Amino acid sequence: MYKLIIEDDEGKTTEVPIIRDEITVGRKEGNTIRLTERNVSRRHARITRQGNGLFIEDLLSYNGIKVNGDRIQGKVAVGDGDRVQIGDYQVSVKLDKGGAKVQMSGQGPQTTPINRAEPTLMTGAVQSPQATMPQPVQAPVVKVPEKPARLIVVSTNFARQEFQLEKATVVIGRTDDNDVVLNHRSISRHHAKIVREGDKFQIMDMQSANGVRVNGEEYGKVELRKGDKIDLGHVRLVFVPPGQDIPKEQIDAMIVDRDQRGTPVIPILLTLVLLAAVGGGAYWFLTQSPKVDVDAEAAKTLVDVESDLSSKRWQDVLDKTGRIVSNTAIAIRTRDAAQTKRAIAEKESKNKQIYDRFAGAAGSGNYDAALKTYREIPEDSVYQKSAKEDYDKIFPLFVESHLKSASEARAAGNCSEARSQVQLVLDVDPKQVRALAAKDQSCSGSSGSSSSSSDNGSSSKDHRHKDKDKPKVADGDKPDKPEKTEKPDKPEKTEKPEKTEKVEAPPSGADPEQVLTDAQSEFVNGNYDKAISLARSVAKVSTNRAWRIIGAAACRNKDLKLVGDAYRKLDNAARQYLIYVCQREGIVQNGNQFKQAE
């Protein structure tokens, strides 16, 4: 029997067994499971049991449902160990193999309210008011040691070999001094390492020759989830979290040839066997039509493709559908279905590149470029919602940045620049209230206004100067003031020439703005150390923009000290976005310091 372990944002948990074939989850009374936080929709989700399978379906909720960190669309299968996020609630799916089925005689739907205001939460099936059940006496529970996390090889070169991840750090490589030894020519001496932090596992590339790819994308460091396919050179492994398992049939279906030696190994062996075989048996094998088997395999692959689409694994979709589309032995209808899914993956793969550029520009504080890139993301893209959430957070910072520049320009009497800065905001949002108010502000009273206004005011200025001079002449005690104001030490103390001499020149004498543009490009491409190095070289010339890039890159590198240094260097608007960027990386603010979230 399946059961749900529901945890709210304060860590309180409630256990609910799934004893019905269909239950609903939502904020409104009448749901089988009632979650009362405001970010849960009135009718948020439906969980159905079909045979031995369990499925969760999003009922067009406002905030959606995430399964193992990825937002789902429609109905998705879930199983033992999967984690589901509904609003502020984390729901773990557990398979209680020893649990007995409970027969219930309720009238109408049963409701389990999950609410911090109700400290006594029911941990079993909830009865209707009319039904009464004796409380079972629970037998003592004997805790079985949890099965450790594992890596299972699913490439033909080391097929089905398993490696347990029992240490805090496990190093993978070609030589015998590694914790996991994969003696293959495509594996570096020390290729990668897997680090456990609490209940999370992260894989990191150790500057290997062939890199680390997870679900088809190359990473320097990434957190692993159940079923992730890890390619180290020509060896593919699957990650299995602690206490969980992947059925043998699924593992067998994942076996692929990753040797890349031209002709696949298995077909070569099969061909040799067939050529060596004699008699009618060999002739029967050679003359049988493979169409039925090929179509069945293609249908299975399309089921996997649906899962890959939901998880945004575009490269896996392209690889699998490419094999189907190119195989003329497969039915046309099946190939057409594969081509349709392939077109989606091709489109969203390009959209991901746009979204990454948008997120990179936003993370480095280049709000103008971020907003411009945001407009390139199609409305029907799966990345639109995530981008919109980020857009809503950076737009106020974009407004703040330009209105501040407008205010500074107005104070300096540069009315044209002030109007230009305000117009940049109105071009994006013509109804932006603060920008409209700033547009109406007068610039005539600022210093450096038109020559005519200077001429018109010259007599009054002269008059004021004369009035100021009169008391100085009348007061006979004031001649000593020049001695008081003559402070030879003060100019020496405030002189800046020595500081400017110490300013580190940009690389190769390049323009600082160009250096910062290069730093931002490195940040977007994930080269955070390079981005920090470039930005540091011009930090004394263009302080705020440089430290925005340094701070954002430090968040990605988890360099807490450098994040704190950047925070102290930035203005208020840039600080707010630095906090936002770090929060996305699991780093929270503590005064002027930052720490890893617990």
Side-chain angles (χ1 to χ4, degrees):
M1 179 177 70
Y2 281 103
K3 59 184 178 182
L4 305 178
I5 311 299
I6 304 173
E7 179 181 349
D8 65 19
D9 60 353
E10 292 182 354
K12 296 178 183 177
T13 60
T14 303
E15 184 175 304
V16 180
I18 299 179
I19 58 177
R20 291 167 165 251
D21 288 337
E22 179 177 315
I23 63 176
T24 58
V25 182
R27 193 177 73 248
K28 186 179 179 181
E29 290 184 5
N31 287 287
T32 316
I33 298 176
R34 187 172 168 225
L35 306 178
T36 57
E37 284 297 314
R38 293 180 63 184
N39 54 10
V40 177
S41 296
R42 287 177 294 178
R43 294 184 72 255
H44 201 109
R46 179 188 293 116
I47 299 173
T48 54
R49 188 174 58 188
Q50 299 176 10
N52 294 327
L54 198 66
F55 296 83
I56 187 167
E57 180 182 0
D58 187 357
L59 299 177
L60 301 177
S61 63
Y62 183 79
N63 289 313
I65 299 170
K66 290 184 178 179
V67 175
N68 297 325
D70 295 316
R71 182 160 180 170
I72 67 170
Q73 295 178 345
K75 183 187 290 188
V76 172
V78 292
D80 186 30
D82 285 337
R83 290 180 65 81
V84 179
Q85 182 178 341
I86 299 177
D88 287 340
Y89 298 90
Q90 293 289 338
V91 182
S92 300
V93 181
K94 296 292 182 184
L95 179 61
D96 186 3
K97 296 179 181 178
K101 291 185 178 180
V102 181
Q103 297 295 328
M104 295 201 51
S105 58
Q107 295 132 9
Q110 309 297 330
T111 302
T112 304
I114 310 298
N115 190 339
R116 283 194 281 281
E118 300 173 26
T120 55
L121 300 177
M122 304 186 75
T123 58
V126 181
Q127 302 178 47
S128 66
Q130 297 85 358
T132 58
M133 284 179 58
Q135 295 297 320
V137 178
Q138 293 189 352
V141 178
V142 179
K143 189 172 182 179
V144 179
E146 185 181 56
K147 185 184 292 186
R150 290 167 294 148
L151 295 175
I152 303 176
V153 183
V154 293
S155 52
T156 53
N157 34 34
F158 299 97
R160 299 181 186 84
Q161 288 191 33
E162 295 190 13
F163 303 96
Q164 295 187 347
L165 307 176
E166 299 179 299
K167 298 168 62 176
T169 301
V170 175
V171 180
I172 307 170
R174 189 179 66 250
T175 56
D176 293 337
D177 57 338
N178 292 281
D179 301 303
V180 173
V181 179
L182 299 172
N183 189 7
H184 192 275
R185 68 189 187 284
S186 65
I187 303 293
S188 296
R189 188 171 180 272
H190 299 299
H191 198 108
K193 64 180 178 181
I194 295 179
V195 179
R196 178 172 187 167
E197 298 176 356
D199 60 348
K200 295 181 179 180
F201 290 79
Q202 291 187 323
I203 187 167
M204 305 178 190
D205 186 13
M206 299 179 69
Q207 298 183 339
S208 61
N210 291 317
V212 174
R213 298 178 71 86
V214 177
N215 298 326
E217 295 191 25
E218 190 162 350
Y219 292 95
K221 176 181 178 182
V222 68
E223 183 180 338
L224 295 173
R225 296 189 177 95
K226 180 181 178 181
D228 279 349
K229 298 180 182 69
I230 306 165
D231 287 324
L232 307 178
H234 297 168
V235 180
R236 175 172 290 181
L237 308 98
V238 171
F239 174 72
V240 184
Q244 300 185 38
D245 212 344
I246 295 179
K248 181 178 179 297
E249 310 82 64
Q250 290 188 24
I251 294 296
D252 291 343
M254 295 181 192
I255 302 296
V256 294
D257 178 22
R258 297 283 297 160
D259 255 352
Q260 298 182 358
R261 293 172 177 164
T263 309
V265 175
I266 292 176
I268 291 175
L269 295 175
L270 183 60
T271 303
L272 291 173
V273 170
L274 292 175
L275 291 174
V278 292
Y283 176 78
W284 184 85
F285 276 114
L286 289 169
T287 57
Q288 287 302 300
S289 171
K291 182 175 181 181
V292 175
D293 290 338
V294 169
D295 284 342
E297 289 300 316
K300 290 180 182 178
T301 301
L302 286 180
V303 173
D304 289 343
V305 167
E306 280 296 335
S307 175
D308 292 334
L309 285 171
S310 299
S311 302
K312 303 184 181 71
R313 295 192 286 261
W314 313 125
Q315 190 57 50
D316 283 0
V317 175
L318 294 173
D319 291 343
K320 293 172 184 176
T321 55
R323 290 194 293 270
I324 295 174
V325 171
S326 62
N327 190 344
T328 56
I330 297 174
I332 294 176
R333 184 171 60 183
T334 304
R335 280 186 284 150
D336 288 345
Q339 183 59 51
T340 300
K341 299 179 190 302
R342 182 177 180 81
I344 294 172
E346 288 174 341
K347 181 184 72 172
E348 293 299 351
S349 181
K350 293 176 182 177
N351 292 339
K352 182 180 184 300
Q353 295 176 12
I354 301 173
Y355 175 75
D356 288 345
R357 283 194 286 114
F358 162 74
S364 63
N366 190 347
Y367 309 132
D368 293 65
L371 267 59
K372 180 180 178 182
T373 308
Y374 170 78
R375 290 192 285 271
E376 298 177 23
I377 302 175
E379 287 291 333
D380 60 348
S381 170
V382 297
Y383 293 101
Q384 172 61 223
K385 181 175 176 60
S386 298
K388 182 65 168 63
E389 291 172 356
D390 290 342
Y391 175 91
D392 290 343
K393 290 174 181 174
I394 69 169
F395 182 70
L397 302 175
F398 164 81
V399 173
E400 181 69 29
S401 173
H402 284 293
L403 294 188
K404 180 182 177 183
S405 297
S407 178
E408 291 171 351
R410 194 179 299 110
N414 191 344
C415 301
S416 175
E417 176 63 17
R419 286 191 296 271
S420 175
Q421 292 293 329
V422 172
Q423 191 58 45
L424 287 172
V425 177
L426 294 175
D427 287 343
V428 178
D429 183 2
K431 298 181 180 180
Q432 216 290 322
V433 177
R434 293 181 59 200
L436 290 171
K439 183 179 181 181
D440 293 337
Q441 287 184 15
S442 172
C443 193
S444 59
S446 303
S447 60
S449 55
S450 66
S451 59
S452 61
S453 62
S454 297
D455 293 339
N456 292 336
S458 61
S459 60
S460 61
K461 287 183 181 178
D462 291 343
H463 181 68
R464 285 197 300 271
H465 285 306
K466 287 177 182 178
D467 289 343
K468 283 185 178 180
D469 290 341
K470 283 181 182 178
K472 288 184 180 179
V473 175
D475 189 351
D477 295 326
K478 298 266 174 125
D480 293 334
K481 256 195 172 175
E483 294 180 11
K484 189 175 181 182
T485 54
E486 134 191 334
K487 292 183 180 177
D489 294 337
K490 201 163 187 179
E492 292 176 10
K493 190 174 182 180
T494 57
E495 68 180 10
K496 302 278 181 176
E498 291 185 8
K499 273 194 173 181
T500 51
E501 287 173 8
K502 292 180 181 178
V503 171
E504 194 173 329
S508 306
D511 177 58
E513 290 302 313
Q514 182 59 48
V515 173
L516 289 174
T517 300
D518 294 341
Q520 184 178 320
S521 297
E522 297 293 346
F523 175 88
V524 171
N525 292 326
N527 302 323
Y528 305 126
D529 291 335
K530 181 67 173 176
I532 291 171
S533 175
L534 287 170
R536 274 187 181 277
S537 70
V538 293
K540 294 181 181 179
V541 180
S542 184
T543 303
N544 206 52
R545 186 182 173 196
W547 280 101
R548 279 203 304 259
I549 297 172
I550 294 169
C555 286
R556 298 289 173 87
N557 278 347
K558 303 293 193 296
D559 188 339
L560 302 182
K561 182 180 181 303
L562 186 55
V563 172
D565 292 343
Y567 181 83
R568 289 186 288 274
K569 297 278 188 179
L570 294 170
D571 60 25
N572 288 333
R575 284 180 176 181
Q576 293 305 310
Y577 198 74
L578 179 63
I579 293 170
Y580 162 66
V581 173
C582 285
Q583 284 176 344
R584 295 186 63 179
E585 301 299 324
I587 298 172
V588 296
Q589 183 188 18
N590 183 17
N592 281 353
Q593 304 298 323
F594 288 78
K595 66 177 183 178
Q596 194 75 36
E598 302 188 5

